[in-house]
Amino acid sequence: MINKLVVFFFGLFVIANTYAQQNLNAYKYIIVPKKFDFLKTENQYRLNELGQFLFNKHGFTTLMEGAEYPLDLKLNRCLALRSNVFKDKNLFNTKLTLKLKDCNDKVVYTSKVGESREKEYKTAYNLALRDAFSSLKTIAYTYKPAKEDAVLEKTTDVLASKDEELEKLKQELVTLKQNVNTTVTDVKTDVNEGSAQGKDVLYAQAITNGFQLVDSSPKVVYRIKKTHLNAVFVVEGKSAIVYKNGAVWVIEYYSGDVLKQDVLNVKF
């Protein structure tokens, strides 16, 4: 008879642990509060930090309340369980129990009662909390998302990838802006050097819709046509533009696949 009772209760224990494991496997995160209900201040005796450490030790992905939550948790708060620890009233020893609740405030897991007979609070709470968490050793937790959660994960992975691409694009734009600033500086340097070397002067003569730029021969070097942009001209017969950059005129054109710039000494 006794053997039958032992087998019966052992069977109940196995079934209960299997059920608890399946229950917890459906959740991706555990949120630890800044203050357990029985404490007077946040992280008193560093118990909340200890709780986060113990959850991580047992394979859970743990977040402290108020931290920056992952994107999938922001989109679906039911991916997480909220943890809390409760103290039993007892004159002779310290008893603590861990409970996990889902997004609908339903308790999905209750640990065994962790106990300590130490008199000093800090030591007693530490030992009792570790004892309560020892229940998780039998769970063998592994996150197994439901179908809809798996779809959400793929979606958030795509969004995260897009965020990375956006960040990369931002960096490329910053680099491009730096290169443009460098180019402008180089152009100004070329102008100063060109002036010192006495660049050939081109004289602007008005024509229909623009100007022709002639040298001292006089020979027509360029014909430039007006655009809707102020001080920007299209060069007739060439894949090039002429524009004013600060106090100087610049011609920009492609030589093969290379974009080049030359400074023009234009007199209007």
Side-chain angles (χ1 to χ4, degrees):
M1 181 66 179
I2 293 176
N3 288 337
K4 289 182 178 180
L5 287 174
V6 170
V7 171
F8 173 74
F9 285 114
F10 178 76
L12 287 179
F13 174 78
V14 172
I15 292 171
N17 276 280
T18 302
Y19 178 73
Q21 178 179 342
Q22 290 174 345
N23 256 3
L24 297 187
N25 285 348
Y27 299 93
K28 189 174 183 180
Y29 304 104
I30 300 248
I31 297 175
V32 177
K34 294 180 180 179
K35 183 180 80 67
F36 293 130
D37 283 356
F38 71 94
L39 297 176
K40 293 181 179 180
T41 59
E42 290 185 3
N43 199 29
Q44 191 174 11
Y45 308 116
R46 301 187 68 178
L47 289 182
N48 298 80
E49 288 182 25
L50 177 60
Q52 184 176 25
F53 167 77
L54 292 173
F55 275 123
N56 289 335
K57 181 180 177 181
H58 290 291
F60 295 90
T61 301
T62 317
L63 303 168
M64 189 63 73
E65 181 183 37
E68 180 65 24
Y69 293 158
L71 179 59
D72 56 354
L73 181 56
K74 290 179 181 178
L75 295 175
N76 181 10
R77 65 188 183 89
C78 292
L79 285 175
L81 291 173
R82 291 189 173 273
S83 63
N84 211 334
V85 174
F86 299 89
K87 179 183 177 183
D88 293 350
K89 293 181 179 180
N90 194 294
L91 295 176
F92 305 104
N93 55 3
T94 300
K95 294 185 176 183
L96 299 179
T97 305
L98 167 68
K99 291 190 178 183
L100 300 176
K101 291 184 177 182
D102 65 13
C103 58
N104 296 314
D105 209 33
K106 177 184 175 182
V107 176
V108 298
Y109 179 79
T110 301
S111 74
K112 74 171 190 176
V113 177
E115 298 187 50
S116 172
R117 293 184 178 276
E118 293 289 334
K119 300 298 183 183
E120 200 263 325
Y121 280 136
K122 183 176 181 179
T123 303
Y125 286 147
N126 188 295
L127 293 176
L129 189 63
R130 288 178 181 273
D131 190 25
F133 267 82
S134 67
S135 298
L136 296 175
K137 291 180 181 178
T138 62
I139 299 300
Y141 164 82
T142 302
Y143 173 56
K144 296 178 181 178
K147 289 183 179 180
E148 59 272 19
D149 293 334
V151 171
L152 177 63
E153 281 193 348
K154 289 182 179 179
T155 303
T156 52
D157 287 344
V158 170
L159 291 174
S161 176
K162 293 298 181 185
D163 286 341
E164 290 178 4
E165 290 180 10
L166 182 59
E167 187 61 31
K168 184 178 179 181
L169 180 58
K170 287 180 180 178
Q171 292 299 324
E172 289 177 354
L173 289 173
V174 169
T175 302
L176 179 60
K177 184 177 180 181
Q178 291 172 344
N179 291 341
V180 169
N181 291 337
T182 301
T183 300
V184 170
T185 302
D186 291 344
V187 168
K188 290 181 178 179
T189 302
D190 287 346
V191 171
N192 292 334
E193 291 177 354
S195 298
Q197 296 170 3
K199 277 186 174 290
D200 292 337
V201 178
L202 297 177
Y203 299 92
Q205 299 175 345
I207 59 175
T208 304
N209 297 324
F211 299 90
Q212 61 181 16
L213 306 181
V214 300
D215 60 18
S216 57
S217 301
K219 173 188 173 183
V220 176
V221 180
Y222 301 112
R223 285 189 174 84
I224 57 177
K225 296 298 183 74
K226 295 177 181 178
T227 67
H228 290 293
L229 299 176
N230 186 36
V232 178
F233 299 86
V234 176
V235 180
E236 186 179 278
K238 294 181 180 291
S239 296
I241 60 171
V242 171
Y243 61 92
K244 194 171 187 181
N245 185 5
V248 300
W249 288 93
V250 177
I251 182 170
E252 190 168 291
Y253 59 95
Y254 273 97
S255 177
D257 292 331
V258 181
L259 182 63
K260 293 189 175 183
Q261 293 174 323
D262 291 330
V263 176
L264 300 178
N265 189 358
V266 182
K267 299 293 184 183
F268 283 88

